Amino acid sequence: MHWPTPGSENLAPCGEQAKTQRPFDELPVQKVFAGRLETRLDQLAVEEPLEIRLVYSSVGERREHSISITMRTPGHDPELAAGFLLSEGIVRGSRDIEAIRHSGPTSETARSHNVVRIELREDLAFDLKRLERHFYTTSSCGVCGKSSLEALEVFAAPLWSPDEFQIAAEAIHQLPDKLREAQAVFDRTGGLHAAALFNADCNLLEIREDVGRHNAVDKLLGSQLLAGKLPLSMCGILVSGRASFELVQKALVAGIPLLAAVGAPSSLAVELAKRYQMTLVGFVRGRRFNIYSGTQRIAINAEVIP
């Protein structure tokens, strides 16, 4: 397998290409404060399209096809692409990928680092029709292009023992502050979502940021896929926004038994979590949170009120 060493996809050459690979950009803005108008430089999170191209075997020959264009924050693009393939059920592990790398522009106007090309191993069966997704998704919703509800649920890792992963309620209370402290780009822009992997001791193992919630999770899971660390049965995942159906699905595919969100879950997210006996926690803020599924994985030292 051939992919860059961690972080090397951020090492773009000088000039315009290097500028577009930064996760934030600076531009002059008019700021109004204390009755004054002043021009200052402001830092904004970069949002650019990423095309994911797949090379696969079909009827004895190698074919290449564009399978998705998503808006994302540049950086960790191979991980984002790998996480996307994992979430869509195209790959199950790093051995399914022969090579993954940035490709050149597909047109005169395309930017060279906005295309990632993934080559599947030759004997991996793949049917393009399985990928029932339009070729454009927004940075805020990864399922908007899905053509049917049946296509939403890809597959989940084998069910784990409910008692295998447990975490103290006190540890969950600490997660948002730890995530916020680790958000380097958010400090500059205030405009990025984040996803973090953590263990039962409340240690953050990995974090990724992006303008899109589902992109941040794909980058995080892609990093673990490429490192050969799946399934992640002894880890939880924390997301900075709400918990949607797709984020629960992505966590399940990676074998993660607990998803915690700073925001609210959707009804479909709760339904899916309950179906697969996953622990789903929402509104993790200050000294409170809600448990929507899988209470048995959280050690709670509190008075039980009927």
Side-chain angles (χ1 to χ4, degrees), residues 15-22 25 46-51 71-72 74 77 102-116:
E16 180 66 21
Q17 182 172 307
K19 179 182 177 182
T20 61
Q21 283 297 292
R22 295 173 60 185
D25 233 338
V46 172
E47 182 177 28
E48 290 184 354
L50 177 70
E51 179 183 4
M71 301 302 292
R72 99 298 189 197
D77 291 340
H102 278 102
S103 179
T106 55
S107 71
E108 292 182 1
T109 58
R111 290 174 174 172
S112 61
H113 268 65
N114 283 346
V115 179
V116 167

Side-chain angles (χ1 to χ4, degrees), residues 19 24 28 39 48 107 124 142 150 165 177 179-180 186 203 227 229 233 244 249 258 260 273 284 293:
K19 179 182 177 182
F24 62 90
T39 300
E48 290 184 354
S107 71
L124 182 66
E150 290 75 17
F165 176 87
D177 287 341
L179 178 64
R180 179 66 184 81
F186 184 89
N203 297 318
K229 295 182 179 180
S233 57
S244 64
Q249 173 193 290
L258 185 152
V284 184
S293 174

